[in-house]
Amino acid sequence: MEFEEIYQRYFRDVYRFALSLTQDGALAEEIAQDTFFKALKALDRFDGSKDIRAWLFTIARNAWYSHCRAHKRTLSQEELPQELPDSVRMEERIEDEESAFAIHQFLHAMEEPYKEVFSLRVFGELPYEKIGRLFGKSANWARVTFYRAKLQIVEHMEATDHEGN
């Protein structure tokens, strides 16, 4: 696969993953660009044994860490990704701008590994098998972790909806 094709196919996924880490569109764009710059330089070392998207997410996560170190930003435990779409109902909820913001706020404060597994699945659209591999765990572990993260979000949104009524 040519690099331009990789860029065209995966830029959006890398950007969404970076956005889930940074919560800042401009910074996510910068990290996504940096990710592809680093990927281009290292493409000859990519052996194809991993999924290319998982490889790009790893580069993006490391670029985020580098950014934080360079700007002397200390990440709280909630912000630390461990390693990077599921339900249609969740995607529909995210389409509503106000609900999306509330979900992102809750997701930002969510504990790991729930935060990153959810982001990888929903925003990165990675299958459970690949998420499990990123964490050195099984696909079933990723599935259960995603389900628990989704339950936390749904419970939070339902509680918020009840408070608003």
Side-chain angles (χ1 to χ4, degrees):
M1 186 179 318
E2 294 294 318
F3 186 76
E4 185 175 337
E5 184 181 347
I6 293 169
Y7 181 86
Q8 293 296 325
R9 183 178 285 180
Y10 298 110
F11 181 82
R12 184 174 166 208
D13 294 337
V14 171
Y15 170 78
R16 289 189 309 195
F17 176 68
L19 184 60
S20 74
L21 295 173
T22 65
Q23 304 298 310
D24 178 332
L27 182 54
E29 177 83 23
E30 182 181 322
I31 288 174
Q33 292 294 343
D34 188 38
T35 297
F36 281 96
F37 176 72
K38 289 176 180 178
L40 177 61
K41 290 188 341 185
L43 192 58
D44 60 324
R45 293 190 309 267
F46 179 70
D47 63 5
S49 64
K50 287 172 126 182
D51 174 59
I52 194 152
R53 189 166 37 184
W55 180 64
L56 291 168
F57 286 171
T58 300
I59 295 170
R61 187 193 67 230
N62 291 336
W64 168 236
Y65 287 153
S66 294
H67 171 82
C68 291
R69 277 191 304 275
H71 291 86
K72 305 214 185 314
R73 178 173 178 195
T74 305
L75 296 176
S76 67
Q77 192 62 31
E78 295 84 36
E79 292 177 299
L80 283 174
Q82 301 296 311
E83 268 292 335
L84 293 309
D86 188 49
S87 76
V88 173
R89 281 177 265 121
M90 185 61 72
E91 287 175 358
E92 287 173 358
R93 191 120 193 218
I94 289 175
E95 286 177 10
D96 172 34
E97 198 172 311
E98 191 173 312
S99 292
F101 183 71
I103 290 169
H104 281 290
Q105 273 186 312
F106 183 75
L107 186 61
H108 187 67
M110 188 181 275
E111 290 184 21
E112 294 296 349
Y114 303 106
K115 175 182 179 177
E116 190 164 1
V117 169
F118 183 85
S119 295
L120 287 169
R121 183 73 179 149
V122 173
F123 303 114
E125 300 177 356
L126 280 182
Y128 294 115
E129 293 76 21
K130 291 179 181 170
I131 295 170
R133 267 193 274 154
L134 280 172
F135 283 90
K137 308 273 185 176
S138 69
N140 194 47
W141 174 88
R143 190 175 288 109
V144 169
T145 303
F146 174 78
Y147 177 76
R148 289 176 179 165
K150 192 167 90 171
L151 276 180
Q152 288 178 28
I153 293 169
V154 168
E155 288 171 2
H156 171 75
M157 294 305 291
E158 287 175 353
T160 304
D161 288 346
H162 289 297
E163 288 172 10
N165 292 334

PDB file of all heavy atoms in Angstrom, residues 1-30:
ATOM      1  N   MET A   1       0.859  -1.170   0.000  1.00  0.00           N
ATOM      2  CA  MET A   1       0.000   0.000   0.000  1.00  0.00           C
ATOM      3  C   MET A   1       0.910   1.239   0.000  1.00  0.00           C
ATOM      4  O   MET A   1       1.841   1.340   0.782  1.00  0.00           O
ATOM      5  CB  MET A   1      -0.900  -0.026   1.242  1.00  0.00           C
ATOM      6  CG  MET A   1      -1.914   1.061   1.273  1.00  0.00           C
ATOM      7  SD  MET A   1      -3.057   1.091   2.707  1.00  0.00           S
ATOM      8  CE  MET A   1      -3.520  -0.581   2.976  1.00  0.00           C
ATOM      9  N   GLU A   2       0.621   2.169  -0.868  1.00  0.00           N
ATOM     10  CA  GLU A   2       1.386   3.414  -0.957  1.00  0.00           C
ATOM     11  C   GLU A   2       1.062   4.310   0.230  1.00  0.00           C
ATOM     12  O   GLU A   2      -0.038   4.268   0.770  1.00  0.00           O
ATOM     13  CB  GLU A   2       1.047   4.142  -2.260  1.00  0.00           C
ATOM     14  CG  GLU A   2       1.481   3.416  -3.506  1.00  0.00           C
ATOM     15  CD  GLU A   2       2.989   3.326  -3.614  1.00  0.00           C
ATOM     16  OE1 GLU A   2       3.671   4.332  -3.321  1.00  0.00           O
ATOM     17  OE2 GLU A   2       3.486   2.244  -3.975  1.00  0.00           O
ATOM     18  N   PHE A   3       2.016   5.164   0.597  1.00  0.00           N
ATOM     19  CA  PHE A   3       1.819   6.021   1.763  1.00  0.00           C
ATOM     20  C   PHE A   3       0.623   6.956   1.586  1.00  0.00           C
ATOM     21  O   PHE A   3      -0.140   7.178   2.524  1.00  0.00           O
ATOM     22  CB  PHE A   3       3.078   6.832   2.076  1.00  0.00           C
ATOM     23  CG  PHE A   3       2.938   7.594   3.356  1.00  0.00           C
ATOM     24  CD1 PHE A   3       3.037   6.947   4.570  1.00  0.00           C
ATOM     25  CD2 PHE A   3       2.663   8.946   3.350  1.00  0.00           C
ATOM     26  CE1 PHE A   3       2.872   7.629   5.768  1.00  0.00           C
ATOM     27  CE2 PHE A   3       2.497   9.643   4.534  1.00  0.00           C
ATOM     28  CZ  PHE A   3       2.607   8.978   5.749  1.00  0.00           C
ATOM     29  N   GLU A   4       0.445   7.495   0.386  1.00  0.00           N
ATOM     30  CA  GLU A   4      -0.690   8.399   0.151  1.00  0.00           C
ATOM     31  C   GLU A   4      -2.008   7.684   0.412  1.00  0.00           C
ATOM     32  O   GLU A   4      -2.931   8.262   0.994  1.00  0.00           O
ATOM     33  CB  GLU A   4      -0.651   8.936  -1.280  1.00  0.00           C
ATOM     34  CG  GLU A   4      -1.739   9.965  -1.526  1.00  0.00           C
ATOM     35  CD  GLU A   4      -1.629  10.591  -2.911  1.00  0.00           C
ATOM     36  OE1 GLU A   4      -0.536  10.580  -3.494  1.00  0.00           O
ATOM     37  OE2 GLU A   4      -2.668  11.081  -3.379  1.00  0.00           O
ATOM     38  N   GLU A   5      -2.085   6.425   0.025  1.00  0.00           N
ATOM     39  CA  GLU A   5      -3.302   5.644   0.268  1.00  0.00           C
ATOM     40  C   GLU A   5      -3.503   5.410   1.766  1.00  0.00           C
ATOM     41  O   GLU A   5      -4.622   5.492   2.273  1.00  0.00           O
ATOM     42  CB  GLU A   5      -3.217   4.305  -0.464  1.00  0.00           C
ATOM     43  CG  GLU A   5      -4.476   3.482  -0.348  1.00  0.00           C
ATOM     44  CD  GLU A   5      -4.360   2.141  -1.055  1.00  0.00           C
ATOM     45  OE1 GLU A   5      -3.420   1.941  -1.840  1.00  0.00           O
ATOM     46  OE2 GLU A   5      -5.231   1.290  -0.791  1.00  0.00           O
ATOM     47  N   ILE A   6      -2.422   5.128   2.476  1.00  0.00           N
ATOM     48  CA  ILE A   6      -2.494   4.952   3.932  1.00  0.00           C
ATOM     49  C   ILE A   6      -3.004   6.241   4.569  1.00  0.00           C
ATOM     50  O   ILE A   6      -3.898   6.221   5.420  1.00  0.00           O
ATOM     51  CB  ILE A   6      -1.107   4.565   4.497  1.00  0.00           C
ATOM     52  CG1 ILE A   6      -0.695   3.181   4.006  1.00  0.00           C
ATOM     53  CG2 ILE A   6      -1.113   4.618   6.024  1.00  0.00           C
ATOM     54  CD1 ILE A   6       0.753   2.838   4.284  1.00  0.00           C
ATOM     55  N   TYR A   7      -2.442   7.358   4.153  1.00  0.00           N
ATOM     56  CA  TYR A   7      -2.848   8.659   4.688  1.00  0.00           C
ATOM     57  C   TYR A   7      -4.337   8.906   4.425  1.00  0.00           C
ATOM     58  O   TYR A   7      -5.080   9.261   5.342  1.00  0.00           O
ATOM     59  CB  TYR A   7      -1.992   9.763   4.057  1.00  0.00           C
ATOM     60  CG  TYR A   7      -2.320  11.142   4.577  1.00  0.00           C
ATOM     61  CD1 TYR A   7      -1.730  11.621   5.732  1.00  0.00           C
ATOM     62  CD2 TYR A   7      -3.228  11.961   3.907  1.00  0.00           C
ATOM     63  CE1 TYR A   7      -2.025  12.885   6.219  1.00  0.00           C
ATOM     64  CE2 TYR A   7      -3.532  13.224   4.381  1.00  0.00           C
ATOM     65  CZ  TYR A   7      -2.931  13.681   5.541  1.00  0.00           C
ATOM     66  OH  TYR A   7      -3.245  14.923   6.012  1.00  0.00           O
ATOM     67  N   GLN A   8      -4.760   8.711   3.193  1.00  0.00           N
ATOM     68  CA  GLN A   8      -6.160   8.955   2.831  1.00  0.00           C
ATOM     69  C   GLN A   8      -7.104   8.041   3.613  1.00  0.00           C
ATOM     70  O   GLN A   8      -8.162   8.462   4.061  1.00  0.00           O
ATOM     71  CB  GLN A   8      -6.369   8.752   1.318  1.00  0.00           C
ATOM     72  CG  GLN A   8      -5.666   9.759   0.453  1.00  0.00           C
ATOM     73  CD  GLN A   8      -6.185  11.165   0.650  1.00  0.00           C
ATOM     74  OE1 GLN A   8      -7.365  11.394   0.875  1.00  0.00           O
ATOM     75  NE2 GLN A   8      -5.279  12.127   0.583  1.00  0.00           N
ATOM     76  N   ARG A   9      -6.709   6.801   3.766  1.00  0.00           N
ATOM     77  CA  ARG A   9      -7.578   5.815   4.404  1.00  0.00           C
ATOM     78  C   ARG A   9      -7.661   5.993   5.916  1.00  0.00           C
ATOM     79  O   ARG A   9      -8.716   5.789   6.511  1.00  0.00           O
ATOM     80  CB  ARG A   9      -7.092   4.412   4.077  1.00  0.00           C
ATOM     81  CG  ARG A   9      -8.007   3.336   4.659  1.00  0.00           C
ATOM     82  CD  ARG A   9      -7.551   1.967   4.308  1.00  0.00           C
ATOM     83  NE  ARG A   9      -7.869   1.695   2.914  1.00  0.00           N
ATOM     84  CZ  ARG A   9      -7.593   0.561   2.306  1.00  0.00           C
ATOM     85  NH1 ARG A   9      -6.985  -0.404   2.955  1.00  0.00           N
ATOM     86  NH2 ARG A   9      -7.924   0.375   1.052  1.00  0.00           N
ATOM     87  N   TYR A  10      -6.539   6.373   6.561  1.00  0.00           N
ATOM     88  CA  TYR A  10      -6.485   6.329   8.018  1.00  0.00           C
ATOM     89  C   TYR A  10      -6.369   7.682   8.716  1.00  0.00           C
ATOM     90  O   TYR A  10      -6.411   7.723   9.945  1.00  0.00           O
ATOM     91  CB  TYR A  10      -5.327   5.433   8.474  1.00  0.00           C
ATOM     92  CG  TYR A  10      -5.505   4.013   8.015  1.00  0.00           C
ATOM     93  CD1 TYR A  10      -4.680   3.474   7.040  1.00  0.00           C
ATOM     94  CD2 TYR A  10      -6.514   3.215   8.536  1.00  0.00           C
ATOM     95  CE1 TYR A  10      -4.846   2.172   6.600  1.00  0.00           C
ATOM     96  CE2 TYR A  10      -6.689   1.918   8.108  1.00  0.00           C
ATOM     97  CZ  TYR A  10      -5.857   1.397   7.138  1.00  0.00           C
ATOM     98  OH  TYR A  10      -6.028   0.116   6.711  1.00  0.00           O
ATOM     99  N   PHE A  11      -6.245   8.768   7.984  1.00  0.00           N
ATOM    100  CA  PHE A  11      -6.065  10.058   8.656  1.00  0.00           C
ATOM    101  C   PHE A  11      -7.234  10.361   9.589  1.00  0.00           C
ATOM    102  O   PHE A  11      -7.040  10.774  10.737  1.00  0.00           O
ATOM    103  CB  PHE A  11      -5.891  11.211   7.661  1.00  0.00           C
ATOM    104  CG  PHE A  11      -5.686  12.517   8.378  1.00  0.00           C
ATOM    105  CD1 PHE A  11      -4.427  12.868   8.845  1.00  0.00           C
ATOM    106  CD2 PHE A  11      -6.757  13.370   8.635  1.00  0.00           C
ATOM    107  CE1 PHE A  11      -4.238  14.048   9.549  1.00  0.00           C
ATOM    108  CE2 PHE A  11      -6.578  14.543   9.340  1.00  0.00           C
ATOM    109  CZ  PHE A  11      -5.308  14.886   9.791  1.00  0.00           C
ATOM    110  N   ARG A  12      -8.431  10.173   9.115  1.00  0.00           N
ATOM    111  CA  ARG A  12      -9.616  10.488   9.923  1.00  0.00           C
ATOM    112  C   ARG A  12      -9.628   9.680  11.228  1.00  0.00           C
ATOM    113  O   ARG A  12      -9.927  10.208  12.295  1.00  0.00           O
ATOM    114  CB  ARG A  12     -10.873  10.215   9.108  1.00  0.00           C
ATOM    115  CG  ARG A  12     -12.138  10.588   9.809  1.00  0.00           C
ATOM    116  CD  ARG A  12     -13.326  10.427   8.890  1.00  0.00           C
ATOM    117  NE  ARG A  12     -14.537  10.469   9.675  1.00  0.00           N
ATOM    118  CZ  ARG A  12     -15.644   9.883   9.344  1.00  0.00           C
ATOM    119  NH1 ARG A  12     -15.743   9.238   8.204  1.00  0.00           N
ATOM    120  NH2 ARG A  12     -16.692   9.966  10.113  1.00  0.00           N
ATOM    121  N   ASP A  13      -9.276   8.398  11.137  1.00  0.00           N
ATOM    122  CA  ASP A  13      -9.250   7.555  12.333  1.00  0.00           C
ATOM    123  C   ASP A  13      -8.191   8.038  13.320  1.00  0.00           C
ATOM    124  O   ASP A  13      -8.441   8.095  14.528  1.00  0.00           O
ATOM    125  CB  ASP A  13      -8.953   6.099  11.954  1.00  0.00           C
ATOM    126  CG  ASP A  13     -10.059   5.469  11.135  1.00  0.00           C
ATOM    127  OD1 ASP A  13     -11.207   5.943  11.198  1.00  0.00           O
ATOM    128  OD2 ASP A  13      -9.762   4.495  10.418  1.00  0.00           O
ATOM    129  N   VAL A  14      -7.016   8.372  12.809  1.00  0.00           N
ATOM    130  CA  VAL A  14      -5.936   8.852  13.668  1.00  0.00           C
ATOM    131  C   VAL A  14      -6.334  10.187  14.296  1.00  0.00           C
ATOM    132  O   VAL A  14      -6.113  10.411  15.493  1.00  0.00           O
ATOM    133  CB  VAL A  14      -4.605   8.957  12.888  1.00  0.00           C
ATOM    134  CG1 VAL A  14      -3.538   9.659  13.718  1.00  0.00           C
ATOM    135  CG2 VAL A  14      -4.138   7.571  12.459  1.00  0.00           C
ATOM    136  N   TYR A  15      -6.942  11.051  13.511  1.00  0.00           N
ATOM    137  CA  TYR A  15      -7.387  12.345  14.047  1.00  0.00           C
ATOM    138  C   TYR A  15      -8.403  12.140  15.172  1.00  0.00           C
ATOM    139  O   TYR A  15      -8.308  12.753  16.238  1.00  0.00           O
ATOM    140  CB  TYR A  15      -7.997  13.208  12.934  1.00  0.00           C
ATOM    141  CG  TYR A  15      -8.673  14.436  13.487  1.00  0.00           C
ATOM    142  CD1 TYR A  15      -7.930  15.542  13.892  1.00  0.00           C
ATOM    143  CD2 TYR A  15     -10.058  14.482  13.645  1.00  0.00           C
ATOM    144  CE1 TYR A  15      -8.545  16.656  14.434  1.00  0.00           C
ATOM    145  CE2 TYR A  15     -10.672  15.595  14.183  1.00  0.00           C
ATOM    146  CZ  TYR A  15      -9.923  16.672  14.570  1.00  0.00           C
ATOM    147  OH  TYR A  15     -10.533  17.773  15.116  1.00  0.00           O
ATOM    148  N   ARG A  16      -9.386  11.261  14.945  1.00  0.00           N
ATOM    149  CA  ARG A  16     -10.408  11.029  15.981  1.00  0.00           C
ATOM    150  C   ARG A  16      -9.790  10.421  17.236  1.00  0.00           C
ATOM    151  O   ARG A  16     -10.180  10.755  18.351  1.00  0.00           O
ATOM    152  CB  ARG A  16     -11.526  10.140  15.448  1.00  0.00           C
ATOM    153  CG  ARG A  16     -12.388  10.866  14.438  1.00  0.00           C
ATOM    154  CD  ARG A  16     -13.615  10.118  14.054  1.00  0.00           C
ATOM    155  NE  ARG A  16     -13.335   8.754  13.642  1.00  0.00           N
ATOM    156  CZ  ARG A  16     -14.169   7.979  12.997  1.00  0.00           C
ATOM    157  NH1 ARG A  16     -15.363   8.424  12.685  1.00  0.00           N
ATOM    158  NH2 ARG A  16     -13.844   6.757  12.667  1.00  0.00           N
ATOM    159  N   PHE A  17      -8.811   9.547  17.055  1.00  0.00           N
ATOM    160  CA  PHE A  17      -8.131   8.983  18.209  1.00  0.00           C
ATOM    161  C   PHE A  17      -7.375  10.077  18.966  1.00  0.00           C
ATOM    162  O   PHE A  17      -7.458  10.175  20.193  1.00  0.00           O
ATOM    163  CB  PHE A  17      -7.176   7.870  17.784  1.00  0.00           C
ATOM    164  CG  PHE A  17      -6.382   7.316  18.932  1.00  0.00           C
ATOM    165  CD1 PHE A  17      -6.992   6.584  19.932  1.00  0.00           C
ATOM    166  CD2 PHE A  17      -5.026   7.540  19.019  1.00  0.00           C
ATOM    167  CE1 PHE A  17      -6.266   6.084  21.007  1.00  0.00           C
ATOM    168  CE2 PHE A  17      -4.291   7.051  20.086  1.00  0.00           C
ATOM    169  CZ  PHE A  17      -4.911   6.315  21.082  1.00  0.00           C
ATOM    170  N   ALA A  18      -6.654  10.909  18.227  1.00  0.00           N
ATOM    171  CA  ALA A  18      -5.913  12.008  18.849  1.00  0.00           C
ATOM    172  C   ALA A  18      -6.870  12.968  19.551  1.00  0.00           C
ATOM    173  O   ALA A  18      -6.576  13.460  20.649  1.00  0.00           O
ATOM    174  CB  ALA A  18      -5.073  12.740  17.804  1.00  0.00           C
ATOM    175  N   LEU A  19      -8.012  13.217  18.945  1.00  0.00           N
ATOM    176  CA  LEU A  19      -9.012  14.092  19.560  1.00  0.00           C
ATOM    177  C   LEU A  19      -9.524  13.493  20.869  1.00  0.00           C
ATOM    178  O   LEU A  19      -9.742  14.213  21.849  1.00  0.00           O
ATOM    179  CB  LEU A  19     -10.171  14.339  18.594  1.00  0.00           C
ATOM    180  CG  LEU A  19     -11.248  15.310  19.055  1.00  0.00           C
ATOM    181  CD1 LEU A  19     -10.649  16.692  19.308  1.00  0.00           C
ATOM    182  CD2 LEU A  19     -12.359  15.401  18.013  1.00  0.00           C
ATOM    183  N   SER A  20      -9.683  12.177  20.902  1.00  0.00           N
ATOM    184  CA  SER A  20     -10.138  11.545  22.150  1.00  0.00           C
ATOM    185  C   SER A  20      -9.086  11.685  23.253  1.00  0.00           C
ATOM    186  O   SER A  20      -9.426  11.709  24.424  1.00  0.00           O
ATOM    187  CB  SER A  20     -10.484  10.073  21.918  1.00  0.00           C
ATOM    188  OG  SER A  20      -9.328   9.291  21.769  1.00  0.00           O
ATOM    189  N   LEU A  21      -7.823  11.789  22.869  1.00  0.00           N
ATOM    190  CA  LEU A  21      -6.752  11.971  23.863  1.00  0.00           C
ATOM    191  C   LEU A  21      -6.633  13.421  24.301  1.00  0.00           C
ATOM    192  O   LEU A  21      -6.448  13.711  25.481  1.00  0.00           O
ATOM    193  CB  LEU A  21      -5.404  11.523  23.287  1.00  0.00           C
ATOM    194  CG  LEU A  21      -5.241  10.053  22.942  1.00  0.00           C
ATOM    195  CD1 LEU A  21      -3.907   9.830  22.237  1.00  0.00           C
ATOM    196  CD2 LEU A  21      -5.344   9.193  24.180  1.00  0.00           C
ATOM    197  N   THR A  22      -6.712  14.345  23.343  1.00  0.00           N
ATOM    198  CA  THR A  22      -6.395  15.746  23.612  1.00  0.00           C
ATOM    199  C   THR A  22      -7.590  16.598  23.994  1.00  0.00           C
ATOM    200  O   THR A  22      -7.427  17.611  24.662  1.00  0.00           O
ATOM    201  CB  THR A  22      -5.760  16.394  22.373  1.00  0.00           C
ATOM    202  OG1 THR A  22      -6.725  16.429  21.314  1.00  0.00           O
ATOM    203  CG2 THR A  22      -4.518  15.648  21.927  1.00  0.00           C
ATOM    204  N   GLN A  23      -8.765  16.241  23.490  1.00  0.00           N
ATOM    205  CA  GLN A  23      -9.970  17.049  23.675  1.00  0.00           C
ATOM    206  C   GLN A  23      -9.802  18.436  23.067  1.00  0.00           C
ATOM    207  O   GLN A  23     -10.422  19.397  23.514  1.00  0.00           O
ATOM    208  CB  GLN A  23     -10.342  17.164  25.158  1.00  0.00           C
ATOM    209  CG  GLN A  23     -10.527  15.849  25.858  1.00  0.00           C
ATOM    210  CD  GLN A  23     -11.646  15.015  25.290  1.00  0.00           C
ATOM    211  OE1 GLN A  23     -12.754  15.498  25.119  1.00  0.00           O
ATOM    212  NE2 GLN A  23     -11.366  13.772  24.962  1.00  0.00           N
ATOM    213  N   ASP A  24      -8.943  18.559  22.061  1.00  0.00           N
ATOM    214  CA  ASP A  24      -8.636  19.835  21.423  1.00  0.00           C
ATOM    215  C   ASP A  24      -8.431  19.576  19.931  1.00  0.00           C
ATOM    216  O   ASP A  24      -7.481  18.893  19.542  1.00  0.00           O
ATOM    217  CB  ASP A  24      -7.365  20.408  22.059  1.00  0.00           C
ATOM    218  CG  ASP A  24      -6.895  21.721  21.443  1.00  0.00           C
ATOM    219  OD1 ASP A  24      -7.156  21.974  20.249  1.00  0.00           O
ATOM    220  OD2 ASP A  24      -6.239  22.487  22.160  1.00  0.00           O
ATOM    221  N   GLY A  25      -9.315  20.125  19.105  1.00  0.00           N
ATOM    222  CA  GLY A  25      -9.277  19.873  17.668  1.00  0.00           C
ATOM    223  C   GLY A  25      -7.971  20.277  17.003  1.00  0.00           C
ATOM    224  O   GLY A  25      -7.423  19.526  16.188  1.00  0.00           O
ATOM    225  N   ALA A  26      -7.454  21.449  17.329  1.00  0.00           N
ATOM    226  CA  ALA A  26      -6.222  21.916  16.707  1.00  0.00           C
ATOM    227  C   ALA A  26      -5.040  21.040  17.117  1.00  0.00           C
ATOM    228  O   ALA A  26      -4.197  20.676  16.281  1.00  0.00           O
ATOM    229  CB  ALA A  26      -5.955  23.371  17.080  1.00  0.00           C
ATOM    230  N   LEU A  27      -4.972  20.691  18.382  1.00  0.00           N
ATOM    231  CA  LEU A  27      -3.898  19.832  18.861  1.00  0.00           C
ATOM    232  C   LEU A  27      -4.023  18.428  18.277  1.00  0.00           C
ATOM    233  O   LEU A  27      -3.019  17.810  17.909  1.00  0.00           O
ATOM    234  CB  LEU A  27      -3.889  19.784  20.389  1.00  0.00           C
ATOM    235  CG  LEU A  27      -2.777  18.961  21.040  1.00  0.00           C
ATOM    236  CD1 LEU A  27      -1.390  19.399  20.554  1.00  0.00           C
ATOM    237  CD2 LEU A  27      -2.883  19.058  22.556  1.00  0.00           C
ATOM    238  N   ALA A  28      -5.234  17.938  18.151  1.00  0.00           N
ATOM    239  CA  ALA A  28      -5.456  16.618  17.549  1.00  0.00           C
ATOM    240  C   ALA A  28      -4.983  16.612  16.100  1.00  0.00           C
ATOM    241  O   ALA A  28      -4.357  15.651  15.644  1.00  0.00           O
ATOM    242  CB  ALA A  28      -6.927  16.229  17.634  1.00  0.00           C
ATOM    243  N   GLU A  29      -5.251  17.691  15.387  1.00  0.00           N
ATOM    244  CA  GLU A  29      -4.790  17.822  13.999  1.00  0.00           C
ATOM    245  C   GLU A  29      -3.262  17.797  13.954  1.00  0.00           C
ATOM    246  O   GLU A  29      -2.657  17.115  13.123  1.00  0.00           O
ATOM    247  CB  GLU A  29      -5.308  19.127  13.408  1.00  0.00           C
ATOM    248  CG  GLU A  29      -4.837  19.428  12.002  1.00  0.00           C
ATOM    249  CD  GLU A  29      -5.652  18.751  10.935  1.00  0.00           C
ATOM    250  OE1 GLU A  29      -6.817  18.405  11.186  1.00  0.00           O
ATOM    251  OE2 GLU A  29      -5.111  18.565   9.838  1.00  0.00           O
ATOM    252  N   GLU A  30      -2.636  18.525  14.862  1.00  0.00           N
ATOM    253  CA  GLU A  30      -1.173  18.574  14.929  1.00  0.00           C
ATOM    254  C   GLU A  30      -0.592  17.194  15.226  1.00  0.00           C
ATOM    255  O   GLU A  30       0.382  16.759  14.593  1.00  0.00           O
ATOM    256  CB  GLU A  30      -0.755  19.567  16.013  1.00  0.00           C
ATOM    257  CG  GLU A  30       0.730  19.744  16.164  1.00  0.00           C
ATOM    258  CD  GLU A  30       1.049  20.730  17.291  1.00  0.00           C
ATOM    259  OE1 GLU A  30       0.324  21.732  17.457  1.00  0.00           O
ATOM    260  OE2 GLU A  30       2.040  20.466  18.001  1.00  0.00           O
TER     261      GLU A  30
END
